[in-house]
Amino acid sequence: MELPDSDISLNVVNLSLSYADKPALQNITMKIPKQRVTALIGPSGCGKSTLIRCFNRMNDLIDSVSVTGRIELNKLDIHDKNVDVAQLRRQVGMVFQRPNPFPKSIEENVAYGLRLTKEVPKSELESRVEWALKSAALWDEVKDRLKDTALGLSGGQQQRLVIARAIAVQPSVLLLDEPASALDPISTLKIEELIAELKTQYTIAIVTHNMQQAARVSDFTAFLYLGELIEFNNTRTIFTNPRQEKTEDYVSGRYG
């Protein structure tokens, strides 16, 4: 699948990753388009989460990791020696499987990254916090208790709070690693609706084990199996007319 360079946010070329001597990803090449949702699907242990964590170099935090190949964010090599990894992680925000709010107030959770960057004047903090909470479809539910602890929110609210925290610093890419797998169906629906709204502003990559969710929320889908990229295409093609037999077997439920 060919995309014009102007439409590409993340360009992955011959990416391989090993933990010690154990390969986890093998020669992954794919182009993730701007302001679209790309789903990463595949059986447990196929490398989905490992791949998504390559995009903001979270795997750097693990001992004995070896990475080869190239990842470009808006045409810049994220492994270049001049790249500030902290700045990269502000540009490529991440939300994990289980909500992880800080043991601080709702307001302070969202303001946390803004305070670290020191690029937002104190006079603008309140308006930026409000903007982020509104963007995460949470403002109306928490506006009267911003000083309350975030730990008092429901699981679904906590996950939307974590998304608000991630987008408050205005990244260009948002990574979601199974963001709804620990949530009830109503909270899951709210997260999916939020993803549809956020893709107008952000490039989104989502890891999901839920085939129906991938079909609902994504524009493009990548199928991984045993650390290899088997197929990458628009979501409709992946689910209705895949080119690879392994893809068809997986999306039809024959294995996985």
Side-chain angles (χ1 to χ4, degrees):
M1 184 185 65
E2 287 298 320
L3 294 167
D5 286 350
S6 60
D7 290 346
I8 296 167
S9 179
L10 285 161
N11 184 26
V12 184
V13 183
N14 296 329
L15 178 71
S16 295
L17 181 146
S18 297
Y19 297 115
D21 296 325
K22 183 180 179 182
L25 298 172
Q26 301 179 60
N27 295 319
I28 304 288
T29 294
M30 63 189 298
K31 295 178 179 179
I32 294 181
K34 292 179 179 177
Q35 293 180 314
R36 295 290 185 272
V37 179
T38 298
L40 306 182
I41 64 172
S44 296
C46 71
K48 303 185 297 293
S49 292
T50 298
L51 176 57
I52 207 172
R53 290 165 188 248
C54 288
F55 299 153
N56 64 352
R57 291 181 55 178
M58 286 290 288
N59 292 314
D60 290 11
L61 303 174
I62 302 172
D63 291 338
S64 74
V65 162
S66 172
V67 180
T68 60
R70 184 178 179 90
I71 301 174
E72 296 175 349
L73 172 63
N74 299 325
K75 300 184 180 181
L76 295 175
D77 182 358
I78 69 169
H79 291 103
D80 187 279
K81 63 181 180 180
N82 295 317
V83 167
D84 180 335
V85 177
Q87 177 62 31
L88 171 68
R89 290 176 185 152
R90 285 193 287 271
Q91 287 185 265
V92 186
M94 189 157 194
V95 175
F96 297 95
Q97 181 174 359
R98 294 192 174 276
N100 60 341
F102 302 138
K104 297 175 179 288
S105 71
I106 294 168
E107 183 179 48
E108 281 302 311
N109 263 270
V110 182
Y112 184 81
L114 296 172
R115 294 188 192 280
L116 284 181
T117 64
K118 298 179 181 178
E119 295 172 1
V120 179
K122 288 185 178 180
S123 58
E124 292 181 21
L125 272 176
E126 283 189 13
S127 61
R128 282 286 288 274
V129 167
E130 180 177 343
W131 169 83
L133 287 168
K134 284 181 175 177
S135 297
L138 190 58
W139 174 253
D140 288 342
E141 297 170 43
V142 302
K143 61 184 179 183
D144 296 324
R145 47 180 176 143
L146 295 176
K147 302 298 183 183
D148 293 356
T149 174
L151 302 181
L153 297 174
S154 70
Q157 289 174 325
Q158 287 186 9
Q159 194 66 303
R160 281 182 284 147
L161 177 67
V162 172
I163 292 173
R165 188 175 69 198
I167 64 178
V169 295
Q170 298 183 326
S172 59
V173 178
L174 189 60
L175 308 177
L176 307 174
D177 193 353
E178 299 197 28
S181 65
L183 303 180
D184 62 81
I186 293 175
S187 297
T188 295
L189 177 61
K190 288 184 178 181
I191 294 293
E192 291 182 2
E193 290 173 343
L194 177 56
I195 290 169
E197 294 172 13
L198 292 176
K199 77 174 183 180
T200 62
Q201 302 175 65
Y202 307 99
T203 299
I204 298 176
I206 177 172
V207 168
T208 179
H209 66 277
N210 186 318
M211 296 300 94
Q212 291 77 22
Q213 183 174 79
R216 284 192 300 265
V217 306
S218 70
D219 303 288
F220 295 88
T221 296
F223 170 55
L224 283 83
Y225 184 69
L226 297 178
E228 296 183 3
L229 178 62
I230 305 300
E231 189 166 355
F232 178 60
N233 213 323
N234 67 74
T235 295
R236 180 181 293 274
T237 297
I238 290 290
F239 282 95
T240 62
N241 189 30
R243 296 173 182 171
Q244 302 297 323
E245 185 176 355
K246 284 181 180 178
T247 310
E248 184 172 4
D249 287 346
Y250 184 72
V251 299
S252 64
R254 292 192 188 118
Y255 69 86

